[in-house]
Amino acid sequence: VYPLARELRRRGVRVTSIVGARTAELLIVQELLAGVSDAYEPCTDDGSLGFHGFTAARLEELLAGGAAFTCCFAVGPMPMMRAVAETTRPYGLPTFVSLDPIMLDGTGMCGACRISVGGETKFACVDGPFFDAHLVDYAEAVVRSKMYVDEERAAVAGATGVGSTEPARSAAVGLAGRGAGR
Ligand code: FES
């Protein structure tokens, strides 16, 4: 989400970044993102920094407060991106999610990264990673993303001895409103 925010800013778009994590210490790329954002909104599950709650809840607050966003990009865990999609849907705010399903060849030939968007089959590796958030079949995407959880857990346990594949829970939402300083 950082290069996205940076490029939007470079093009004169006003950028609001909402970034979330379980606790303040787990927030990533804070300085980088804040440096290319007109507004930077940290969120933590435990309230240790910024908004106390999830990124989608802070987004809802801003939208309900009349924030004039013209586009929304969500990057992070599937539940967060799904929540963002449901948050922006009633506002008719164009929203895009960055999907990273399991990939094998990365060339659009193997079908491993298949997802459904608006009833059509897409391959995240060549058609994505960004897709219309309001058209993604999240239920299917979640099922497919968990297809190899047992094997992943076994592989990680074998490699590290840790025995857990739970990903770092951090999330970023970049929101862009038109017309910074214009
Ligand atoms: Fe094989 Fe996308 S990774 S089609």
Side-chain angles (χ1 to χ4, degrees), residues 103-113 123 125:
M103 297 186 189
L104 288 181
D105 65 354
T107 66
M109 295 181 70
C110 74
C113 67
F123 300 124
C125 68

Side-chain angles (χ1 to χ4, degrees), residues 35-174:
V36 295
S37 303
D38 296 274
Y40 177 76
E41 301 267 354
C43 306
T44 49
D45 297 4
D46 64 0
S48 53
L49 183 69
F51 178 77
H52 188 177
F54 296 146
T55 50
R58 180 58 183 145
L59 173 60
E60 171 63 38
E61 270 195 356
L62 293 172
L63 289 170
F69 299 129
T70 54
C71 197
C72 173
F73 300 92
V75 182
M78 189 74 74
M80 181 279 279
M81 293 193 288
R82 191 176 195 172
V84 167
E86 293 314 313
T87 299
T88 60
R89 190 189 303 276
Y91 292 92
L93 178 63
T95 301
F96 300 89
V97 288
S98 179
L99 300 184
D100 57 349
I102 295 167
M103 297 186 189
L104 288 181
D105 65 354
T107 66
M109 295 181 70
C110 74
C113 67
R114 175 174 62 79
I115 54 169
S116 297
V117 182
E120 293 182 22
T121 294
K122 298 288 183 183
F123 300 124
C125 68
V126 291
D127 298 321
F130 280 102
F131 294 95
D132 186 328
H134 300 145
L135 298 180
V136 170
D137 183 338
Y138 294 99
E140 178 192 69
V142 167
V143 169
R144 289 183 59 79
S145 74
K146 295 184 185 308
M147 286 176 68
Y148 300 105
V149 163
D150 291 342
E151 287 83 353
E152 290 172 5
R153 189 170 288 129
V156 170
T160 67
V162 172
S164 170
T165 60
E166 184 178 353
R169 291 189 57 209
S170 59
V173 181

